Amino acid sequence: MDKLLDLLRAQRAKHLDWLRQLGAIPSVSTEDEHRTDVRQAVDEVCRLCMGIGLSAAVCETGGHPLVVAEHCHAAGAPTCLVYGHADVQPMGDPARWNTPPFEPTVVDDWMYCRGAADDKGPLLVYLRAAEAWLSGTGKLPINLKILIEAEEEVGSPNLRAFLEQNRERLACDTILISDTGLFQDHWPTITTGTRGLCYKEVVLSGPTGNLHSGLGGPVVNPANALARLIATLHDDQGRVNIPGFYDDVVEPTAEERAQLAALPFDDQQYARDLGVPSLHGEPGWNTLELGTVRPTLDVNGIYGGYMEPGSNTIIPARAGAKISMRLVPNQRAATISRLFNEAVRARCPAGVRCEIIDHALAEPYYATPAGPAMQAAQLALRESFGRDVALLRSGGSLPIVNTFRDLLGVNSILIGLDSPNCNAHGPNEKICLSDLDRGAETMVRLFGYLAETH
């Protein structure tokens, strides 16, 4: 193992060039003008896979292509599937970037560029580890399969169909994903679960057109009605006020709550970092728990009526709100969707019409930190980072893990490598290079430890 780690470290400059080359490609999957760039990023990943000794191919889908690579010559050893994505978010306002978003720039121990953290830097740690094993021993201790898509940032619309068509090709014992984050910089972290999602849009409409506000009184104002309706969705304690919303919630175990409570977390500093005067939430739960293991309902946006500078005395013809609910085990997205619709329609006042639009559904996910593969991952992380592993659930959603479980019958190990301050999706996205190095060392060790689980 020491020899393999020395080989890995000796290639650091080359590996940094890999990230520079991949990061310089503006593979923005949400914008049609970057279709060629997205394909270029996929081709580059394929080239890197072949360059280290994997067999690899670019596969077409109904949208952007993806890469499948493998090295499956370890008879009797377990098979591991690595998943990542080579597409990135749009740059946003370039004036908010300190350096050009697609000119990877190293400052101290950080590389700045769009996609450095989400997900180009993390996906490359697996190639770095595979190269160390192949160059050092001529073989891998496990059977390795790699799936790198280019539509994650647009919801992976073609991935499920590809998985359905290639179940045997992608069959595996363990799935490894590094598209999550660290608890703190340099603190190894495994994400044990993600919250689900139920995203709605509620539109209340009244008169056929905007009315002069002098006609107010006999006409129900859709904006007023919407405000009152939204106010009913939480009780005075901050709990979601939808009948049946909590019926299927599985509470975290006492052990999980104790692990969260033991992590150093400063509520006041967190509030300062967010720029809010104070924190609040459902009584009986601490801040980490409220953001990970409890379900939520939040208004994401409100619109309606006159929104420009100055005044325009009207009663708006319609008003709407976008509302998302984050779900935890064992809430079902379809059930919560139905309960939400029933509650909103029952509370909609006479005098306005109510339309509810469905935007997204995703199931919650949880995988126990027990089991040989998960224990191997914790050991590899602990040895590479030099400290115990934080086991956390994510407040967000990662629908692909449920898709993998549904179609391949395998849980995923989510090994985070992104800083909590990496600015993924925002300006000045960055990745800590020393944490990437520790991540690559983790994978070198993990490949060996996974071989011992069979």
Side-chain angles (χ1 to χ4, degrees), residues 14 17-22 25 39-58 67-69 124 127:
K14 182 182 72 174
D17 285 340
W18 287 1
L19 183 52
R20 284 194 183 97
Q21 293 161 12
L22 190 58
I25 303 171
R39 181 171 290 274
Q40 182 186 356
V42 170
D43 289 341
E44 176 68 9
V45 171
C46 187
R47 184 188 69 79
L48 289 173
C49 288
M50 292 189 292
I52 65 172
L54 309 182
S55 62
V58 173
V67 176
V68 175
L124 289 175
L127 303 191

Side-chain angles (χ1 to χ4, degrees), residues 18 20 70 164 206 332 397 405:
W18 287 1
R20 284 194 183 97
E70 65 176 38
E164 289 174 341
R332 301 293 296 178
S397 302
R405 184 154 63 183

Side-chain angles (χ1 to χ4, degrees), residues 195 234 237-240 245-246 251-252 256-257 260-261 265 267 270 278-298 325-328 331 392-396:
R195 289 195 288 195
H234 292 89
Q237 298 298 308
R239 285 173 60 87
V240 178
F245 185 83
Y246 292 96
E251 306 290 1
E256 184 176 7
R257 295 195 71 179
L260 287 174
F265 194 86
D267 280 10
Y270 185 59
S278 62
L279 302 175
H280 74 98
E282 185 183 355
W285 302 90
N286 68 36
T287 300
L288 275 178
E289 291 170 334
L290 289 171
T292 58
V293 304
R294 295 301 290 164
T296 63
L297 183 151
D298 287 290
M325 290 155 279
R326 295 289 180 174
L327 314 178
V328 300
Q331 290 178 303
L392 294 173
R393 298 195 213 177
S394 169

Side-chain angles (χ1 to χ4, degrees), residues 193-211:
T194 62
R195 289 195 288 195
L197 177 67
C198 179
Y199 199 127
K200 299 281 190 173
E201 184 172 354
V202 177
V203 183
L204 302 187
S205 57
T208 55
N210 294 341
L211 299 179

Side-chain angles (χ1 to χ4, degrees), residues 158-178:
N158 295 289
L159 187 57
R160 187 178 186 92
F162 184 85
L163 292 173
E164 289 174 341
Q165 296 162 10
N166 293 273
R167 290 191 196 199
E168 184 175 347
R169 182 181 185 182
L170 298 172
C172 59
D173 301 294
T174 301
I175 297 172
L176 297 177
I177 302 175
S178 289

Side-chain angles (χ1 to χ4, degrees), residues 76-235:
T79 299
C80 176
L81 173 66
V82 169
Y83 165 82
H85 66 92
D87 62 320
V88 302
Q89 283 281 317
M91 71 174 72
D93 182 0
R96 299 182 62 196
W97 286 77
N98 297 330
T99 58
F102 293 107
E103 293 183 16
T105 304
V106 175
V107 179
D108 297 325
D109 193 29
W110 298 83
M111 176 176 281
Y112 291 78
C113 77
R114 171 61 84 229
D118 186 19
D119 176 46
K120 293 177 178 179
L123 74 83
L124 289 175
V125 301
Y126 296 97
L127 303 191
R128 295 169 65 178
E131 182 191 48
W133 273 97
L134 290 170
S135 62
T137 68
K139 60 184 180 180
L140 293 178
I142 58 172
N143 297 299
L144 180 65
K145 299 178 182 180
I146 296 177
L147 172 63
I148 306 297
E149 68 156 322
E151 294 186 323
E152 195 272 346
E153 300 293 4
V154 291
S156 304
N158 295 289
L159 187 57
R160 187 178 186 92
F162 184 85
L163 292 173
E164 289 174 341
Q165 296 162 10
N166 293 273
R167 290 191 196 199
E168 184 175 347
R169 182 181 185 182
L170 298 172
C172 59
D173 301 294
T174 301
I175 297 172
L176 297 177
I177 302 175
S178 289
D179 198 12
T180 51
L182 300 164
F183 169 61
Q184 292 180 2
D185 291 342
H186 323 312
W187 193 313
T189 304
I190 291 178
T191 298
T192 57
T194 62
R195 289 195 288 195
L197 177 67
C198 179
Y199 199 127
K200 299 281 190 173
E201 184 172 354
V202 177
V203 183
L204 302 187
S205 57
T208 55
N210 294 341
L211 299 179
H212 190 295
S213 63
L215 299 176
V219 176
V220 176
N221 184 320
N224 292 349
L226 179 67
R228 288 194 297 271
L229 192 156
I230 290 173
T232 71
L233 296 177
H234 292 89
D235 65 18

Side-chain angles (χ1 to χ4, degrees), residues 174-177 191 365 367 374 400-401 404 410-414:
T174 301
I175 297 172
L176 297 177
I177 302 175
T191 298
Y365 173 86
M374 188 73 87
I400 184 61
V401 291
F404 280 139
V410 180
N411 283 331
S412 300
I413 302 177
L414 307 177

